[in-house]
């Protein structure tokens, strides 16, 4: 039977402008990135969804190889409707996508996104410039395995669980990477940048193989790593983990994202995060400039994906 969830949880999924999307890496770690789900969900079928572009990143390749994913609804600002819930909602499930959606579906997705990010920009120039961003978008559908809803955004208190029960045991510590666990990029800058942003999320793989996403606080940073305060229940010891710090404005016009993969050592509710890779961007609070940048990045990313044969591997 499909997994379903309560009305108040559905309100969060329907109204939130952003969520943290996590997927598992081949090495057993996790990556977390911000996506805009636009309220895509079907309680009767037990699915949630979001869109992405073929030109942005390697999300689709990763979920094709390992479909277990998670979506964390962790922030209420700038959403639609009148949702005042303080719930933190984590959706875990198995993702699928059609790399070649038909035009009717893309048009429907454009209409659905309008209340969240405004109507799509149209015209001869914009239709051409944003072709990689709009027409090469892909709908990712997650068949829900479990929904966990905490009563507050800091995930304290007893959660409600819909679907599969939570794992009986914590994930065991992982074997350290061959190159060592210490920072490979500037940990001080990583911590300073993350601390300035309102939302910081940590992702790692749970004992049942699904990624999970939790909110964390940045305490300080040094050459040894970024010191975090993590929620109770985060598994102890060392493991691969992803970190996302981000901020956004209404309709996503003006946003910043800082993304890392690395190694975390957890002791109680204190942790040291050693960043191994980094990425990120800052988009100005100007819609025209933002759309020009989106078009450029999507076109460049799509061209690179085609050159490297990655779109063919996805069936496009």
């Amino acid at each position: 039977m499909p997994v379903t969830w309560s009305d108040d949880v559905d309100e969060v999924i329907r109204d939130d402008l952003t969520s943290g999307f996590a997927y598992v890496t081949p090495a057993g770690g996790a990556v977390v990135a911000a996506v805009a789900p636009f309220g895509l969900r079907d309680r009767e079928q037990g699915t949630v969804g979001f869109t992405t572009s073929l030109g942005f990143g390697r999300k689709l390749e990763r979920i094709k190889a390992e479909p277990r994913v998670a979506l964390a609804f962790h922030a209420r600002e700038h959403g639609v409707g009148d949702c005042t819930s303080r719930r933190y909602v984590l959706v875990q499930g198995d993702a699928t996508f059609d790399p070649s959606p038909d035009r009717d579906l893309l048009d429907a997705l454009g209409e659905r996104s309008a209340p969240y990010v405004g109507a799509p920009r149209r015209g001869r120039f914009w239709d051409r410039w944003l072709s990689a961003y709009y027409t090469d978008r892909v709908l990712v559908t997650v068949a829900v395995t479990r929904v966990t809803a905490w009563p507050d955004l800091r995930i304290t208190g007893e959660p409600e669980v819909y679907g599969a029960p939570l794992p009986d045991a914590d994930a065991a510590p992982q074997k350290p990477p061959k190159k060592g666990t210490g920072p490979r990029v500037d940990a001080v800058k990583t911590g300073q940048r993350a601390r300035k942003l309102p939302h910081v999320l940590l992702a790692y793989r749970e004992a049942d193989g699904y990624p999970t996403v939790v909110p964390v606080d940045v305490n300080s940073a040094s050459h040894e790593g970024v010191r975090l305060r993590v929620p109770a229940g985060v598994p102890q010891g060392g493991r691969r983990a992803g970190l996302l710090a981000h901020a956004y404005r209404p309709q996503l016009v003006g946003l910043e994202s800082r993304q890392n993969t690395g190694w975390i050592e957890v002791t109680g509710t204190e942790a040291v995060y050693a960043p191994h890779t980094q990425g990120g961007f800052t988009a100005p609070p100007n819609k025209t400039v933002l759309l020009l940048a989106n078009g450029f990045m999507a076109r460049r990313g799509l061209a690179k994906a085609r050159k490297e044969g990655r779109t063919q591997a996805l069936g496009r």
Side-chain angles (χ1 to χ4, degrees):
M1 294 292 292
V3 175
T4 190
W5 48 87
S6 66
D7 289 345
D8 55 346
V9 169
D10 192 63
E11 184 181 39
V12 169
I13 297 172
R14 179 196 69 198
D15 288 1
D16 276 10
L17 179 57
T18 68
S19 67
F21 171 67
Y23 56 90
V24 176
T25 68
V31 174
V32 56
V35 299
F38 301 146
L40 293 167
R41 83 276 183 226
D42 187 327
R43 272 203 287 180
E44 291 186 1
Q45 296 297 320
T47 64
V48 298
F50 66 94
T51 66
T52 188
S53 170
L54 284 171
F56 283 165
R58 296 179 176 268
K59 290 192 291 289
L60 297 174
E61 296 171 68
R62 296 300 190 211
I63 66 177
K64 184 177 181 180
E66 171 50 84
R68 287 177 288 191
V69 301
L71 285 161
F73 295 83
H74 62 286
R76 293 297 97 87
E77 67 261 37
H78 312 316
V80 301
D82 55 0
C83 180
T84 59
S85 171
R86 300 299 296 170
R87 285 180 175 271
Y88 183 102
V89 175
L90 179 71
V91 176
Q92 294 166 299
D94 297 278
T96 58
F97 61 90
D98 178 357
S100 301
D102 61 42
R103 184 70 202 187
D104 289 341
L105 174 60
L106 292 174
D107 289 343
L109 291 174
E111 292 177 5
R112 181 156 197 141
S113 70
Y116 299 86
V117 295
R121 191 71 64 90
R122 295 300 186 192
R124 179 177 297 179
F125 169 79
W126 289 112
D127 288 347
R128 181 180 178 185
W129 183 252
L130 293 173
S131 61
Y133 185 74
Y134 286 141
T135 64
D136 283 311
R137 296 202 71 76
V138 172
L139 172 63
V140 178
T141 300
V142 180
V144 177
T145 298
R146 175 170 55 237
V147 177
T148 309
W150 285 266
D152 68 87
L153 291 169
R154 303 311 300 171
I155 66 169
T156 60
E158 193 68 23
E160 296 175 0
V161 180
Y162 305 88
L166 295 170
D168 292 333
D170 288 342
Q174 293 179 329
K175 183 178 179 181
K178 293 181 180 180
K179 294 183 180 180
T181 61
R184 301 176 194 170
V185 298
D186 193 323
V188 174
K189 287 185 179 179
T190 296
Q192 289 174 342
R193 288 169 175 168
R195 197 172 188 179
K196 294 177 181 179
L197 299 176
H199 304 293
V200 186
L201 300 174
L202 179 75
Y204 56 89
R205 189 177 63 177
E206 289 194 301
D208 60 2
Y210 285 95
T212 192
V213 184
V214 299
V216 297
D217 296 309
V218 178
N219 289 334
S220 63
S222 69
H223 68 280
E224 296 178 346
V226 182
R227 296 193 175 275
L228 304 173
R229 179 172 292 277
V230 302
V234 173
Q236 304 295 288
R239 69 195 67 253
R240 299 175 188 267
L243 193 70
L244 170 70
H246 76 115
Y248 61 99
R249 298 189 185 191
Q251 295 190 352
L252 301 181
V253 180
L255 61 157
E256 183 173 357
S257 176
R258 301 295 171 184
Q259 191 177 27
N260 297 93
T261 63
W263 183 265
I264 193 167
E265 292 279 352
V266 180
T267 305
T269 58
E270 302 295 323
V272 178
Y273 185 77
H276 291 172
T277 68
Q278 64 184 357
F281 63 89
T282 301
N286 180 293
K287 189 162 187 176
T288 298
V289 175
L290 176 65
L291 290 176
L292 288 170
N294 283 345
F296 173 75
M297 290 188 294
R299 290 159 69 91
R300 183 179 65 177
L302 186 59
K304 183 178 180 181
R306 285 171 174 163
K307 183 178 180 180
E308 295 175 351
R310 291 189 278 118
T311 52
Q312 292 90 330
L314 293 172
R316 184 62 177 258

